[in-house]
Amino acid sequence: MESRQKITIKDVARKAGCGIATASRVLNNSGPTSADARERVKKAAQDLGFSFSAIGRALQGGRSMTIGCLVPSLANPVFAEAVQGVQEVLSGAGYQLLISSSNYDGDADNEAIVTLTAKEVDGLILTMVGPERSAALKQARARGLPVSLMFHDPLDGFLTAHVDNFEAAREVARRFADLGHTRTAFLSLRFASSDRSRNRYAGFHAECRARGLPDPALIELTEAEANDPELLAGILATLGGLTAIFASNDFLAIAVQKATRLMGKNVPQDLSVVGFDGIEIGRLLDMPLATIETAPDAMGRQAAQTLLNMLQGDACVQRPPLPFHFRAGATLARPRAESRDDDQGATWPPSVHSLKTDLKQG
């Protein structure tokens, strides 16, 4: 049987009617070319059955053509959508993605970064518990490894794709105030380890004070409390006078709705609830969730493009926050008149076992 002749980039260039350098730039996505040249080269490669060797390309450029991506969880659709956005950009540039998740554990963050750097990735895209405290991240940066962050607010020495958590939370406080809510609370999980959650509370707190309202109660839940509606209902029952809750993410807001029903009360007649992220399931509920809607896929794409710019040696600057949108939903309404009357003279915030009232504002 006749052996098959190996197709080379020279054959592609000849068929496309261009130089080898032009064909290489198109196939390697490594430089500017005209739209016509790109189309001719790609068609020639497809017609000839040419496959540009990733191994040979990596050896030639000293790169592995892989990018490490670390997120807290892939079960949360917000992070899953961001990873999808990352992959869309990187696959178009010829890179493969190595994905890891830490389950919101700082030690797991460090271990993942060590593992990814050991695999000789060309760069890192990260959402972490505390990037400013990560020894593994500092070591990766010391080696000159490019790093792009997602979801984190701007941090010295890093570029990040993010929304303005502080300003978004202020919008929630404005919505509550405009409807007449004065006894409010912020509900959080992993408050101490999440800069996003802390900045959301800070913005919510600041706008309440600017409006002359009482400070919002800060409730930090344990994993058990967040996942058990009966435990959560018990906590909410101790918050006499509470008429509105701002949850640090949509999953917590949905849990509040169920806990409220267990208390024999209704959302939003007895308790208004607002979440954060805008996950699709919130739209599909019998009572669609009011929330801050973000675009995690766009966040992933921006983080990936920033990393590509770094890899290509382009000048990079911190980009403005991505937009957010308040989705009205059906879980936000005015408090009952009797609730407002009962609140007069009440001490707020009340004290409960998981309530944090000593937050120091920086």
Side-chain angles (χ1 to χ4, degrees), residues 250 254 278-289 291 293 325 327:
D250 287 345
I254 292 170
I279 62 175
E280 188 60 26
I281 193 173
R283 293 179 181 273
L284 304 178
L285 299 174
D286 290 341
M287 185 172 292
L289 180 65
T291 185
E293 195 171 64
H325 169 71
R327 192 170 78 201

Side-chain angles (χ1 to χ4, degrees), residues 9-51:
I9 193 171
K10 184 176 180 180
D11 299 316
V12 174
R14 184 184 300 114
K15 185 172 180 63
C18 66
I20 294 175
T22 298
S24 177
R25 284 196 297 271
V26 173
L27 296 170
N28 205 14
N29 198 31
S30 60
T33 53
S34 69
D36 178 64
R38 285 198 300 273
E39 185 175 347
R40 285 187 285 113
V41 169
K42 289 180 178 179
K43 186 177 186 309
Q46 183 176 9
D47 290 347
L48 292 172
F50 175 80
S51 176

Side-chain angles (χ1 to χ4, degrees), residues 64-88:
S64 67
M65 300 305 293
T66 59
I67 300 296
C69 184
L70 171 63
V71 292
S73 170
L74 289 171
N76 187 328
V78 172
F79 297 120
E81 288 179 32
V83 170
Q84 183 66 35
V86 168
Q87 186 162 289
E88 287 175 12

